[in-house]
Amino acid sequence: MPKPLPRQTMMLSRYILLILLTLPMLTAQAEDDASNIDPWEPFNRKMYVFNDTLDRWVLKPTARGYKFILPDFAQQGVTNFITNIYDFNSFFNSIFQGEFAGSANAGGRFLINSTLGLLGVLDVATEMGIEPFHADFGQTLAVWGVESGPFVMMPVIGPRTVRSTVGYFADTYSSIPALINDNPIAWTFWTVEIIDYRARLLDAEDLMTGDRYIFLRDAYLSRREFFVTRGEVEDDFSDFDRNAEDWEEF
C-alpha cells in the first residue's frame, strides 16, 4: 500500500483552506444573485460552445470507440470500479452530513467490493443487499448551510453551480487516485472516468430538445436539487455528476 507522504498532506491542507476561504464568498454571491440563477449566461454560453466543440471532435468519437472495443460486461466493470472509488468519498461525506447509516452503507460497500469484488470491478455488495448511498462534498456544503450560488458552465466537466464546483474539486483531490501520489495513475483514472461517463450518455442525446444550453442548465439544476435533498432522480443525462443516485443505471 502507498504510504501517505508530506506532499499529500500539504495538498489536502491547501484544498481544505481554499474551501474554507470560499464558503463566505459562496454565501455572499448567492445572496447577491438570489433572483437570477444564471447571471453569467454570456460567459456560460461561450463555455458551452467550447465544451460542445470538444465533445464533437474528441469526447464523442473516443466514447464511441470505447463502446465498440469493450464488450458490455467490461464496460460495466469499469463503471463499477469508478463507482467503488467514490464510495470512499461517500463514506466520509455521509459522516460530515450526519448520515451515519448512509456512511455505514458506503463504507461497507467499499470494503466488500474492494475485496470480494476484485477492487470494485464486481458489485458484490448490491448482490448482498447493501444498497448504494452516494454523497459528495457539494451536498455536504448544502447540509452545512452554504447556498448553491449561480449556475456556471465549467470546461470539460460541464454544468455546475458555484457550490457544486467547489465540491467537485474537493472530492476529486481527496479521492483515492489523488491520494496515491502518482500523477500518471490519477490522470489516467480521471480520463477513463470521463470517457466511461460520456459513453453511457450516447443513447441519451436524443432526449435533448430546443435550446441545448437551456436544456442542460435546467436539467442539471433540477437534478442537482433532487440529489442534494435526496429526492428521486430521473434525469441521468444532465451532467458529469459522479455521485448521483442513479450513477449505475445507464
Side-chain angles (χ1 to χ4, degrees), residues 19 22 61 80 124 146 186 191 196 232 237:
I19 290 166
T22 304
N80 290 345
V124 178
V146 178
T191 300
D196 178 71
E232 301 250 339
F237 50 85

Side-chain angles (χ1 to χ4, degrees), residues 133-150:
F133 190 89
H134 300 298
D136 63 26
F137 195 72
Q139 185 184 50
T140 298
L141 291 175
V143 171
W144 291 352
V146 178
E147 298 293 337
S148 68

